[in-house]
């Protein structure tokens, strides 16, 4: 393809069709599956009641990510190489937990090569 078709095409960026997949939050995923790398099939953002939300798509779920992951998802959406790697099945999301100042367990994660 050409530069503009690759970088400025409106519409579908990822090969995986996530239509009909249920949403889950990261806490639920970690509680059910533990801290394991999840293969990323796609990412997207959407407008919610309290602002823009980042989402990672797996083979079975659309996982709402914490707000602090928004900038990473936006960077991925603007990066043709990152999109190519996701479409090739070479990107994962590794969840993590941490304890906040109030002593509560919080959930995060990072995108990783697989």
């Amino acid at each position: 393809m050409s530069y503009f078709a690759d970088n400025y095409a409106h519409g579908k960026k990822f090969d995986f069709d996530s239509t009909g997949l249920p949403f889950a939050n990261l806490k639920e995923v970690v509680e059910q599956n533990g801290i394991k790398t999840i293969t990323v099939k796609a990412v997207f953002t959407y407008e919610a009641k309290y602002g823009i939300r980042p989402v990672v798509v797996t083979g079975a779920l659309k996982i709402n990510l914490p707000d602090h992951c928004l900038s990473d998802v936006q960077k991925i959406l603007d990066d043709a190489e990152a999109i190519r790697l996701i479409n090739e099945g070479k990107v994962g999301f590794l969840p993590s937990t941490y304890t906040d100042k109030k002593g509560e367990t919080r959930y995060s994660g990072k995108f990783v090569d697989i």
Side-chain angles (χ1 to χ4, degrees), residues 11-110:
K12 190 173 179 180
K13 293 184 177 194
F14 300 100
D15 296 336
F16 186 78
D17 183 6
S18 64
T19 305
L21 291 181
F23 278 89
N25 65 45
L26 195 52
K27 177 183 178 182
E28 295 167 338
V29 172
V30 170
E31 287 176 348
Q32 291 177 7
N33 301 309
I35 304 291
K36 297 178 184 172
T37 300
I38 304 162
T39 301
V40 175
K41 300 290 190 180
V43 297
F44 67 92
T45 61
Y46 69 95
E47 186 70 36
K49 184 176 181 178
Y50 297 108
I52 298 172
R53 299 286 310 159
V55 176
V56 63
V57 178
T58 71
L61 295 169
K62 297 173 187 171
I63 304 170
N64 283 306
L65 297 178
D67 291 339
H68 62 264
C69 294
L70 178 61
S71 64
D72 287 342
V73 170
Q74 289 173 324
K75 287 179 194 175
I76 290 169
L77 291 170
D78 290 336
D79 184 342
E81 178 69 5
I83 291 167
R84 182 185 67 76
L85 291 168
I86 288 172
N87 283 330
E88 291 177 0
K90 296 180 179 177
V91 177
F93 185 81
L94 179 60
S96 61
T97 61
Y98 65 94
T99 303
D100 69 10
K101 293 178 183 177
K102 296 178 183 178
E104 295 181 29
T105 300
R106 300 291 181 187
Y107 298 84
S108 186
K110 62 182 178 178

